[in-house]
Amino acid sequence: MPGLLRGVARTAVVAGTATAVSNRVSRRQAGRWAQQDTERQVAYQQGVAPPAPAAPAPAAPQSSADEMAGKIDQLKQLGDLKAQGVLTDDEFAAQKRQVLG
């Protein structure tokens, strides 16, 4: 039974992390689209031709503040699971490496 509980807990951590990342990406993309739509509407109302699409922005560094906060939260959850005995030392280390990338 402890092995099953450990597996369920690990699955919950991974699923929760995936959901949080997915939601954050969706909100960020929706915000960008809304901003672009607003800029196009303003340009149309002013009679100005909309600007040509800009080159894609370079990828943000991996250590941005919101990503770092998410990683810290994940590590705290993993630490709590290890303290409760749900994760072994090896499992904790593997999950930690995965979170830190």
Side-chain angles (χ1 to χ4, degrees):
M1 189 67 167
L4 177 63
L5 182 60
R6 185 176 299 129
V8 169
R10 185 179 314 125
T11 301
V13 168
V14 171
T17 301
T19 301
V21 170
S22 174
N23 288 341
R24 191 175 320 135
V25 169
S26 295
R27 283 192 303 269
R28 190 179 306 146
Q29 188 64 41
R32 287 179 184 160
W33 288 341
Q35 181 182 7
Q36 289 175 354
D37 287 345
T38 303
E39 290 170 356
R40 287 183 186 129
Q41 288 175 354
V42 168
Y44 178 75
Q45 290 171 353
Q46 293 175 351
V48 177
Q62 290 291 340
S63 62
S64 68
D66 59 341
E67 288 179 16
M68 186 59 72
K71 288 180 181 181
I72 291 171
D73 290 340
Q74 292 172 15
L75 291 173
K76 285 180 183 178
Q77 290 175 350
L78 289 172
D80 291 342
L81 290 172
K82 182 182 174 205
Q84 295 170 5
V86 175
L87 294 176
T88 64
D89 290 339
D90 293 337
E91 291 170 333
F92 174 76
Q95 291 293 325
K96 183 173 137 183
R97 278 193 302 274
Q98 184 180 3
V99 168
L100 295 176

